[in-house]
């Protein structure tokens, strides 16, 4: 069963505007971690932000924030003030520490920032 | 910060040959490393979990005799694609995390990836 779902294959945003990338997840474990990674065309995976299942507040890292809605099992990434360099693939991922503790990825969303 | 070095970044080989990809944790000890494969325009798919000093655990559908994983030390894991065929052409990425905790909080650090092309 798909554990991480990203329903937006592609998104466009105007430079300097904010954009939300959707992510829903499925787990029965009470303890888990949610992550967002950016993958530019070079292929490297760049860690952006982390949200723990027990965290009370939404995570923020600079222009990145994570809209964590636990009851809805969603962990949307919000990028504020988009820049041209933000154009890349974005992957939502989850780790379940009592289930091998590996990282499972969603299908990804390709974000294109327009000048 | 944690750095994972992966080599080679690109490799082209003939069908039937074997290719070895190395993954090293440069400034930390990685008890566990993960190997992923990514086909063009697709997501990362976990191939196997590599634990130091023990046999790797392979995901369903991944041939363990074809994709040999060795994790002989706390800083080195290798993936050998044996008797490679064109359908094995893909982007292979290794990753590791520092320590072992049960909060799911450990960030995975990824190598830069190895693009394998089998002719």
């Amino acid at each position: 069963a798909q554990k991480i779902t990203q329903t937006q294959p592609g998104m466009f945003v105007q430079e300097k505007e904010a954009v939300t990338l959707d992510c829903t997840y499925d787990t029965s474990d009470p303890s888990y971690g949610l992550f967002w990674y950016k993958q530019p065309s070079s292929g490297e995976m760049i860690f952006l932000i982390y949200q723990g299942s027990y965290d009370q507040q939404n995570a923020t890292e600079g222009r990145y924030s994570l809209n964590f809605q636990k009851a809805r099992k969603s962990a949307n990434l919000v990028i504020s003030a988009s820049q041209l360099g933000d154009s890349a693939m974005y992957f939502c991922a989850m780790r379940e520490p009592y289930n091998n503790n590996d990282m499972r990825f969603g299908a990804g969303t390709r974000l294109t920032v327009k000048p | 910060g944690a750095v994972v070095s992966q080599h080679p970044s690109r490799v082209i080989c003939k069908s039937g040959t074997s290719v070895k990809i190395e993954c090293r944790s440069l400034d930390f000890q990685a008890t566990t490393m993960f190997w992923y494969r990514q086909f063009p325009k697709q997501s990362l798919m976990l191939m196997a979990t590599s634990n130091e000093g023990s046999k790797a655990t392979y995901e369903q559908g991944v041939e363990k005799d074809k994709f040999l994983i060795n994790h002989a030390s706390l800083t080195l894991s290798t993936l050998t694609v044996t008797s490679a065929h064109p359908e094995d052409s893909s982007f292979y990425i290794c990753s590791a995390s520092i320590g072992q905790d049960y909060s799911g909080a450990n960030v995975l650090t990824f190598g830069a990836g190895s693009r394998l092309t089998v002719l």
Side-chain angles (χ1 to χ4, degrees), chain A residues 15-91:
Chain A
E15 193 178 8
K16 300 180 184 177
E17 292 187 350
V19 62
T20 298
L21 306 184
D22 295 341
C23 173
T24 58
Y25 60 93
D26 182 30
T27 180
S28 57
D29 290 340
S31 180
Y32 53 90
L34 297 161
F35 304 80
W36 278 91
Y37 281 84
K38 172 184 178 181
Q39 186 181 44
S41 56
S42 60
E44 62 184 311
M45 295 293 286
I46 302 169
F47 166 71
L48 296 178
I49 196 166
Y50 158 78
Q51 180 84 44
S53 59
Y54 296 115
D55 293 344
Q56 297 293 316
Q57 295 188 326
N58 288 342
T60 60
E61 289 285 350
R63 293 186 299 110
Y64 305 107
S65 60
L66 200 151
N67 185 0
F68 182 44
Q69 297 188 43
K70 194 170 183 177
R72 301 172 97 180
K73 293 188 176 178
S74 75
N76 298 340
L77 176 70
V78 180
I79 305 174
S80 62
S82 297
Q83 302 171 356
L84 295 178
D86 293 336
S87 294
M89 281 292 288
Y90 288 81
F91 292 99

Side-chain angles (χ1 to χ4, degrees), chain B residues 17 20 22 35 43 49 56 64 67 70 80 82 85-86 89 91 100-101 104 108 112 118:
Chain B
T17 60
K20 180 184 283 188
E22 290 190 348
W35 286 94
S43 185
T49 302
K64 61 180 180 181
F67 298 100
N70 183 282
T80 302
T82 63
H85 291 286
S89 298
F91 192 56
Q100 184 76 17
D101 76 271
L108 280 189
V118 185

Side-chain angles (χ1 to χ4, degrees), chain A residues 37 39 95 100 103-104 106, chain B residues 36 38 43 49 59 106 108:
Chain A
Y37 281 84
Q39 186 181 44
R95 290 189 85 174
N100 197 44
M103 190 169 283
R104 303 284 169 155
Chain B
Y36 291 85
Q38 185 180 29
S43 185
T49 302
E59 293 297 298
N106 277 359
L108 280 189

